Amino acid sequence: PAYQAYMGSQPSSLLTKFCGLYTIEYSDESGRRRKTHFLVMKNVLQPGRALDLQFDLKGSTLGRRSLPPGSILPPQERVVMKDLDLVESSFRLRLASLARRQLLDQVARDVDFLTGIGVMDYSLLVGVNLRHDSTQTCDHGTLPVDASYEADTKLLSIDHTADYFLGVIDFLQPYSTKKYLETCWKRMSHKLRVISSVDPGFYGRRFMEFLEGTVIPECEVQPFTAGEISNVGAPNGSVESNVVPESKEIPVDFLYKS
């Protein structure tokens, strides 16, 4: 009920949209009746797109790596990267100041809600599509973009070189006794700030600090050269004279609709 009420009051929420909870009842090989419960939810990303980059970000660092240190983005194999992969690269989400502020304000409301219901261990899922053409080439050939499906949160980079698909996922984990014991165990050898299993209040504050300070920093427009993907999103750089002024780049609403 709390989730339903919150989502009804926050149409721009980045929380995953649940479509329904279902149960399948069946007989196993021994003839015993079994039940399997599953959730159907809306895809955060755009079906049919072979995204150039994907990140799963929590704000913690212990074990939060998918690539070897020093790797260049994008990786040769399609992989969902994690916090340390982003921190050690030059990639950042570059947004106009109004879009950045509205996005962070909405995420803050979402995090306050998740903290209030006592859950943690959630992530910001980020998909990045560099703007080449209407189809995206991947290892399995060329896939047409599903134009009938519209992602809930799609933003345009400040220099119009990339589309960002964003959503908060995996927020069904309560801070249970098991998670509390995990916190105690890991704190024996690691600082609290680096581990994922922490109380919801600390988790939410750290998550927002990481997004605001590292993932989506305040930035200026930086020149972009096709092929230099390792530099996409670098927060510092000079403003090119041919860039559309910030006030004209995006509508007042931070959601970018193609």
Side-chain angles (χ1 to χ4, degrees), residues 180-247:
Y180 172 74
L181 293 175
E182 181 181 341
T183 303
C184 296
W185 174 256
K186 289 185 176 180
R187 284 200 68 181
M188 295 174 67
S189 53
H190 301 283
K191 293 181 179 180
L192 186 64
R193 190 164 190 83
V194 306
I195 63 178
S196 293
S197 182
V198 294
D199 73 83
F202 185 87
Y203 192 99
R205 291 191 299 272
R206 181 181 63 187
F207 184 77
M208 288 304 306
E209 289 173 6
F210 182 59
L211 296 190
E212 189 160 359
T214 302
V215 182
I216 320 172
E218 294 186 71
C219 64
E220 296 177 334
V221 176
Q222 178 172 351
F224 171 72
T225 302
E228 296 182 355
I229 301 177
S230 61
N231 293 323
V232 174
N236 300 315
S238 59
V239 178
E240 293 290 284
S241 60
N242 62 345
V243 174
V244 180
E246 178 183 313
S247 62

Side-chain angles (χ1 to χ4, degrees), residues 81-186:
M81 292 169 282
K82 298 181 181 178
D83 302 70
L84 286 176
D85 300 313
L86 182 140
V87 169
E88 295 173 1
S89 75
S90 61
F91 176 81
R92 300 294 184 266
L93 270 67
R94 293 179 294 160
L95 297 173
S97 59
L98 177 60
R100 175 182 180 271
R101 188 69 266 153
Q102 289 181 325
L103 173 64
L104 289 172
D105 286 347
Q106 181 60 63
V107 177
R109 289 192 291 271
D110 293 341
V111 168
D112 285 345
F113 168 72
L114 297 178
T115 301
I117 61 174
V119 299
M120 37 73 72
D121 217 21
Y122 44 86
S123 305
L124 179 71
L125 182 63
V126 179
V128 182
N129 178 67
L130 300 180
R131 304 189 114 203
H132 303 303
D133 49 45
S134 60
T135 59
Q136 308 301 318
T137 302
C138 66
D139 296 339
H140 304 289
T142 300
L143 299 176
V145 174
D146 184 358
S148 65
Y149 184 94
E150 186 172 292
D152 285 320
T153 306
K154 175 185 175 184
L155 290 88
L156 180 64
S157 66
I158 191 172
D159 58 359
H160 292 195
T161 61
D163 292 316
Y164 304 137
F165 300 90
L166 307 171
V168 177
I169 63 171
D170 298 340
F171 50 84
L172 296 179
Q173 176 60 59
Y175 191 57
S176 59
T177 301
K178 180 179 179 180
K179 284 293 181 180
Y180 172 74
L181 293 175
E182 181 181 341
T183 303
C184 296
W185 174 256
K186 289 185 176 180

